[in-house]
């Protein structure tokens, strides 16, 4: 049974990804930090449904904890065949009112932790058992706006990591980026406001979290695909906006 590690899988997109991979034959390593109760519920749900899952806690703001987390994962459960770097921090700031505190968190979680996990994974990978890594980016990295300033800087850093790995191809590691559009209410956006704008795209439809999970499974299972970036946003990235869609 292949092993999938999904970071930040206690809620929202991570939970959808973990469930989908479990239903399609993966043994899950569920990573959470503060969402421990949700992580325990997810593991129980997967196990009760006949799947296999384990929960590991880690605070990705601490570099030593990232290394400890990966070592513990490998020692207890084996080398992951699939790593989904989904852990994220999404808090609001804006140029001129930027927050160094938020920037530090964003760089730690969006940049440093994936950087370390890829380096550690590469040392465990082999030509006979390569590892697929999928980094969850954001359509903002090809269609930026100033809202969620520190978050955006972090996602651009993760894009740089993704691109560098794609330019250094190896039989041991394939690295993909997925750039989703609007999946959930943004910041203080109400569900009603979210419904008003969610389909304001070229195709008249934004993706569902399930579509992102479907794409991850496709990339993981099709081994002849080289690392590349996939935009799943209903065409949102083709529309230039001065502000985040939630503020227009």
């Amino acid at each position: 049974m292949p092993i999938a590690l999904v970071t930040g899988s206690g809620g929202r997109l991570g939970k959808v990804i973990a469930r989908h991979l479990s239903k399609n034959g993966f043994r899950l390593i569920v990573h959470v930090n503060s969402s421990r109760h949700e992580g325990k519920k997810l593991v129980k749900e997967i196990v009760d449904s006949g799947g296999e899952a384990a929960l590991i806690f880690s605070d990705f703001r601490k570099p030593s904890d990232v290394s400890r987390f990966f070592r513990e994962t490998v020692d207890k459960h084996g080398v992951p065949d699939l790593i989904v770097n989904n852990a994220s921090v999404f808090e609001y700031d804006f140029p001129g009112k930027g927050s160094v505190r938020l920037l530090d968190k964003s760089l730690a979680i969006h940049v440093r932790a994936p950087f370390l996990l890829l380096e550690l994974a590469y040392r465990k990978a082999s030509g006979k058992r390569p590892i697929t890594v999928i980094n969850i980016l954001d359509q903002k990295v090809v269609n930026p706006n100033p809202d969620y300033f520190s978050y955006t800087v972090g996602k651009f850093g993760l894009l740089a990591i993704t691109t560098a790995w794609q330019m250094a191809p190896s039989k041991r590691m394939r690295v993909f980026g997925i750039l989703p559009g609007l999946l959930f209410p943004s910041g203080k956006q109400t569900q009603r406001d979210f419904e008003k704008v969610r389909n304001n795209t070229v195709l008249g439809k934004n993706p569902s979290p399930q579509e992102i999970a479907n794409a991850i499974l496709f990339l993981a299972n099709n081994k002849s695909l080289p690392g590349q970036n996939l935009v799943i946003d209903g065409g949102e990235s083709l529309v230039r906006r001065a502000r985040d869609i939630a503020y227009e």
Side-chain angles (χ1 to χ4, degrees):
M1 180 180 287
I3 302 168
L5 163 61
V6 182
T7 70
S9 47
R12 296 195 20 143
L13 180 59
K15 185 182 292 186
V16 175
I17 294 168
R19 283 173 174 155
H20 189 60
L21 293 174
S22 175
K23 290 176 182 177
N24 286 275
F26 281 83
R27 179 153 52 99
L28 261 294
I29 308 300
V30 173
H31 158 263
V32 297
N33 179 27
S34 58
S35 303
R36 299 193 176 199
H37 178 67
E38 291 84 355
K40 290 176 181 177
K41 285 178 61 178
L42 177 60
V43 168
K44 184 178 186 302
E45 174 190 321
I46 291 173
V47 172
D48 288 348
S49 300
E52 295 185 27
L55 181 66
I56 301 184
F57 308 118
S58 180
D59 184 350
F60 281 179
R61 291 172 297 179
K62 303 174 183 177
S64 60
D65 213 40
V66 178
S67 300
R68 187 273 310 164
F69 162 77
F70 189 78
R71 184 172 61 251
E72 182 178 336
T73 296
V74 172
D75 290 346
K76 290 185 176 181
H77 308 288
V79 178
D81 300 277
L82 170 65
I83 299 173
V84 182
N85 280 312
N86 170 73
S88 185
V89 56
F90 189 68
E91 298 179 57
Y92 192 83
D93 65 347
F94 193 85
K97 294 184 178 179
S99 167
V100 173
R101 177 185 64 82
L102 290 184
L103 180 63
D104 286 344
K105 287 172 65 176
S106 180
L107 293 177
I109 294 169
H110 297 134
V111 180
R112 190 173 59 202
F115 181 97
L116 287 170
L117 287 175
L118 266 77
E119 292 293 328
L120 294 167
Y122 184 75
R123 297 170 196 170
K124 296 292 184 180
S126 68
K128 292 183 178 180
R129 191 168 181 177
I131 297 175
T132 300
V133 179
I134 299 176
N135 295 327
I136 303 298
L137 296 162
D138 191 302
Q139 66 85 25
K140 287 190 70 172
V141 300
V142 293
N143 182 29
N145 62 65
D147 291 298
Y148 295 96
F149 184 28
S150 294
Y151 164 85
T152 303
V153 171
K155 288 296 186 178
F156 267 102
L158 183 54
L159 174 64
I161 292 171
T162 306
T163 302
W165 275 96
Q166 290 168 350
M167 294 177 69
S170 167
K171 294 179 180 179
R172 295 162 59 182
M173 186 93 82
R174 295 184 305 148
V175 180
F176 296 90
I178 289 185
L179 288 65
L182 188 64
L183 298 174
F184 302 99
S186 176
K188 296 181 180 180
Q189 192 178 36
T190 66
Q191 187 65 37
R192 182 179 179 182
D193 290 339
F194 172 70
E195 295 298 336
K196 286 181 180 179
V197 301
R198 68 176 301 179
N199 295 325
N200 185 15
T201 64
V202 172
L203 296 181
K205 178 178 173 57
N206 243 309
S208 68
Q210 186 60 49
E211 287 178 280
I212 306 302
N214 293 344
I216 288 171
L217 183 65
F218 175 80
L219 296 175
N221 284 343
N222 288 272
K223 306 299 184 183
S224 63
L225 288 172
Q228 55 195 279
N229 294 333
L230 182 61
V231 182
I232 309 176
D233 69 346
E236 171 66 14
S237 57
L238 303 176
V239 180
R240 186 73 184 95
R241 299 182 193 273
R243 300 291 304 274
D244 185 274
I245 192 170
Y247 296 93
E248 288 205 334

